[in-house]
Amino acid sequence: MGAIDVMMTTATNGSSARRLFVWGFLALTPLWIGAVPTGLAYGLAAREAGLTLSETQLMSLAVFSASAQISAVSLIDERAPVVMLALTATALNAHLLLLGLTIGRTTRASRRLRLAAAFFLTDGAYGVALSAGRVTLPSLLGAGISMFVAWNIGTAIGATAGGALPNPRGLGIDVIAPLMFLVVLVPLVRTRAAVQAAVVAGVSALCLARVAPAGTAVVGAGLLGGIAGALVAGRGCADLATTIAGGKGEAG
Amino acid sequence: MNGIGAVLVMATVVYAVRLGGLLHAGRSLPAAWVRVLHLVPVATLTALVTISLAGRPEEAGLRLPAAVVAAVVAYRTGRAWLCIVAGMTSYWLLRLV
């Protein structure tokens, strides 16, 4: 019996957990059509920024966060220090803390299963797991691992192809980074608070970049934008806050 | 710090953020904190887009229109790969003009 089997058996009925895991894995496979090309684009951008094949792949295996990885590639290109890479990655994944709180309140599982599920927690996996009507950690884990496989296949293809390109910067491959940020950003800017956060962050980034390194400007503008958006948070955001802070859990 | 070290530091902080919520599900956050945490990723992504585009002012005439095309495609279709293909194609076509 594998490690995942052991974790899931301790969480709930073994065969039921296994079915949920397989269901989650298969339910996410339609998203591979987006995950593989996006991973490929990350692989190309990372090699263009100077990362080796092993560093590029290791980042997808160990970090497994599209926005954090692309931000790292972009900031490495700007020669930002590691602490700024870490702070930016934290800021970009801040909402996963809230997602984790919501999931944690509505599911019962062993500590080991939570430790495993946390590594594979992404927006996409959560959305797929929620589509069943109720999020369970085995289905979340299955969906997350499915996304992980697709993301790493795409990375491997892109990193290998990126190493074979004679002059990636001459081809403008670094344009991929802002395009990938847009892919993640555009669906999120749906509320007045989000628009406010984006406007303040954009203006702040331009101002801060004149007096500070790129990494500092990104982290500073991210915090300023987040606070500004929260100050004018509309009804939708307030509802989210009430839901999570009040412990009712949107997944239940 | 070398590249592998930077990757491991990033992996640790991202995992800590993901795990934090799952392990502390019994705790409540103040509503103001929830709002800020909800919006910081939006703001940080915007800052990254802005700095990425502003970082090459000599190519602003190529990169800005390509970013606009990509944003429209992302908004209309929600498909990541289509957004990247549309943006890169626009960029390359503008370079040829």
Side-chain angles (χ1 to χ4, degrees):
Chain A
M1 183 180 280
I4 289 171
D5 289 331
V6 172
M7 288 184 290
M8 291 193 304
T9 303
T10 56
T12 179
N13 178 279
S15 60
S16 169
R18 178 181 274 273
R19 275 201 306 274
L20 287 167
F21 176 84
V22 172
W23 176 85
F25 189 96
L26 295 176
L28 190 128
T29 51
L31 299 188
W32 280 40
I33 197 168
V36 172
T38 311
L40 188 155
Y42 153 74
L44 283 172
R47 297 305 304 276
E48 191 277 336
L51 269 68
T52 64
L53 179 62
S54 57
E55 289 168 347
T56 302
Q57 193 68 54
L58 179 65
M59 201 186 288
S60 279
L61 289 167
V63 179
F64 182 44
S65 166
S67 57
Q69 290 178 230
I70 294 294
S71 74
V73 166
S74 184
L75 293 173
I76 285 169
D77 216 19
E78 303 277 351
R79 301 189 183 282
V82 173
V83 66
M84 287 304 161
L85 303 187
L87 286 173
T88 306
T90 304
L92 288 168
N93 286 282
H95 65 298
L96 293 181
L97 182 68
L98 303 178
L99 216 52
L101 283 172
T102 306
I103 297 165
R105 286 203 179 95
T106 55
T107 57
R108 296 184 189 282
S110 69
R111 192 178 181 85
R112 288 181 70 184
L113 182 55
R114 288 172 192 259
L115 289 171
F119 182 81
F120 298 100
L121 177 60
T122 63
D123 295 322
Y126 175 73
V128 165
L130 186 61
S131 69
R134 189 176 74 86
V135 173
T136 62
L137 284 189
S139 64
L140 184 69
L141 187 62
I145 289 176
S146 185
M147 180 70 88
F148 180 79
V149 170
W151 178 248
N152 277 280
I153 288 173
T155 297
I157 298 169
T160 306
L165 290 175
N167 179 17
R169 186 161 288 258
L171 293 171
I173 296 297
D174 57 317
V175 179
I176 287 176
L179 298 181
M180 289 184 69
F181 294 137
L182 284 169
V183 166
V184 185
L185 173 65
V186 169
L188 299 177
V189 187
R190 300 279 186 190
T191 64
R192 195 165 67 90
V195 171
Q196 174 84 1
V199 169
V200 170
V203 174
S204 303
L206 284 176
C207 297
L208 289 172
R210 291 175 178 272
V211 296
T216 309
V218 167
V219 173
L223 283 174
L224 285 173
I227 292 168
L231 289 174
V232 297
R235 181 68 188 154
C237 195
D239 285 346
L240 172 79
T242 306
T243 303
I244 296 174
K248 293 174 184 172
E250 63 191 72
Chain B
M1 185 180 282
N2 61 19
I4 301 288
V7 169
L8 295 178
V9 168
M10 284 182 60
T12 303
V13 298
V14 170
Y15 181 64
V17 171
R18 286 171 162 155
L19 186 61
L22 278 173
L23 284 188
H24 298 101
R27 299 186 184 175
S28 291
L29 288 175
W33 274 96
V34 173
R35 290 194 195 97
V36 172
L37 289 173
H38 183 60
L39 291 165
V40 160
V42 174
T44 305
L45 282 165
T46 308
L48 283 162
V49 171
T50 306
I51 286 179
S52 295
L53 294 175
R56 298 283 297 273
E58 72 280 8
E59 281 208 337
L62 306 176
R63 293 176 181 235
L64 277 176
V68 170
V69 169
V72 170
V73 171
Y75 181 78
R76 296 294 294 271
T77 70
R79 293 173 192 265
W81 65 272
L82 203 54
C83 168
I84 293 168
V85 168
M88 289 305 295
T89 305
S90 305
Y91 171 77
W92 283 323
L93 287 175
L94 287 167
R95 274 177 37 152
L96 292 174
V97 176

